[in-house]
Amino acid sequence: MDYAKATKYADISVNLVDSLIAYSKDLKSDFENNYSELTVIYSFCINIDRKQEDVRLQNIKQKFESLPIYYHSNVLELFITRFQNEILLDKNKEDLTHTVLEIEDVLMDYAQYFEKSLKRIPSIFEVLFLYLQGGLKYGQHKEQLSYLLSNVRFQHRVLCEFCNKYQEIYQIKLKRTVYNNETQI
C-alpha cells in the first residue's frame, strides 16, 4: 500500500471518530443515565438504515464503508478514549477482572462464529452490535450485559480489552487484505 492510501485511510479514521463523537454529543440527552459508548454504537447501528434522511448518519455510514475493516478497531479505540475523556470526563479506570475477560471471550466467540459462518472477518463494530442485539432482543448473556451497560468504567475496560484481543487475533489477516488489495480472508 502506498503512502497516499495510508494517509487517506488515517484521515478517514480521524474524521470518522470526530463524526462519532459529534453524534454521541447529540444523543446524550436521549439516554440520560444509560449513556455510554455502547449505547452510542448500538444507536448508530440500529438507526443507520432506518433513518435514510439523516445526513449525519449517512455520512458516518459512508466513512465506515470506505474504510477497510483493518482500521475499524483503531477507530473504536480512539472513539472510546475520546468518549471517556471528552464526553464522560471520567479518567478513572476499572481493574481487570475475571468478568471483563469473560465478556471479552464472549465477544471473540461472536467474532469467530461470524467469521466461520460468513467466511469474512467482521468489523469490530459488527461484533459489538451482534452481542448487544443478542442480549437486548433475545436475552442472551443477560446478567453480563446488564452489568456492562450499567457501569461505564467497566464497559470502558471491556471495550479496551476487546480491542486488544481483536487486534491480536485479526490484525495480521486484515492488514494483508489492505496491503495486498485482497478481499477478505
Side-chain angles (χ1 to χ4, degrees), residues 16-27:
L16 178 54
V17 173
D18 289 343
S19 297
L20 287 170
I21 292 295
Y23 178 72
S24 300
K25 289 177 180 176
D26 292 344
L27 286 180

Side-chain angles (χ1 to χ4, degrees), residues 133-150:
Q133 185 80 352
L136 297 172
K137 240 185 173 177
Y138 306 111
Q140 298 170 337
H141 314 288
K142 199 173 198 169
E143 193 174 305
Q144 282 180 348
L145 185 60
S146 178
Y147 187 66
L148 183 65
L149 292 175
S150 66

Side-chain angles (χ1 to χ4, degrees), residues 2-181:
D2 63 22
Y3 179 74
K5 203 174 202 182
T7 301
K8 173 186 157 190
Y9 291 145
D11 289 345
I12 292 170
S13 296
V14 170
N15 195 290
L16 178 54
V17 173
D18 289 343
S19 297
L20 287 170
I21 292 295
Y23 178 72
S24 300
K25 289 177 180 176
D26 292 344
L27 286 180
K28 192 170 185 175
S29 63
D30 294 347
F31 286 100
E32 296 175 19
N33 295 337
N34 292 326
Y35 185 64
S36 67
E37 296 103 317
L38 282 177
T39 54
V40 171
I41 291 167
Y42 188 73
S43 174
F44 166 74
C45 290
I46 285 291
N47 291 316
I48 194 71
D49 290 321
R50 288 184 185 170
K51 297 186 177 180
Q52 296 290 334
E53 72 284 349
D54 189 329
V55 175
R56 175 188 53 190
L57 283 174
Q58 295 312 309
N59 184 303
I60 293 170
K61 180 181 179 180
Q62 178 191 15
K63 289 173 190 166
F64 266 115
E65 289 173 346
S66 66
L67 193 64
I69 290 175
Y70 170 74
Y71 293 94
H72 288 197
S73 60
N74 296 335
V75 167
L76 181 61
E77 271 187 314
L78 184 55
F79 170 69
I80 62 178
T81 299
R82 286 189 54 195
F83 190 93
Q84 264 325 96
N85 295 332
E86 295 176 27
I87 296 175
L88 293 181
L89 305 173
D90 187 357
K91 308 281 190 239
N92 296 316
K93 303 294 180 204
E94 183 80 14
D95 290 333
L96 182 62
T97 64
H98 183 67
T99 308
V100 169
L101 296 175
E102 283 177 350
I103 294 174
E104 175 192 20
D105 287 344
V106 169
L107 290 167
M108 285 310 302
D109 288 345
Y110 271 84
Q112 291 168 344
Y113 179 77
F114 187 103
E115 178 186 10
K116 207 179 282 183
S117 298
L118 297 180
K119 305 292 186 238
R120 75 172 182 87
I121 299 170
S123 164
I124 197 166
F125 287 92
E126 289 175 306
V127 175
L128 292 171
F129 176 74
L130 291 172
Y131 175 76
L132 291 168
Q133 185 80 352
L136 297 172
K137 240 185 173 177
Y138 306 111
Q140 298 170 337
H141 314 288
K142 199 173 198 169
E143 193 174 305
Q144 282 180 348
L145 185 60
S146 178
Y147 187 66
L148 183 65
L149 292 175
S150 66
N151 184 332
V152 292
R153 287 184 188 153
F154 177 76
Q155 182 179 130
H156 182 78
R157 183 62 189 248
V158 167
L159 290 174
C160 288
E161 293 301 319
F162 175 54
C163 276
N164 292 336
K165 185 69 161 188
Y166 179 93
Q167 289 173 344
E168 178 185 313
I169 302 286
Y170 291 119
Q171 283 303 82
I172 292 172
K173 285 182 186 177
L174 289 172
K175 189 175 189 177
R176 218 176 303 133
T177 64
V178 173
Y179 285 90
N180 296 334
N181 291 325

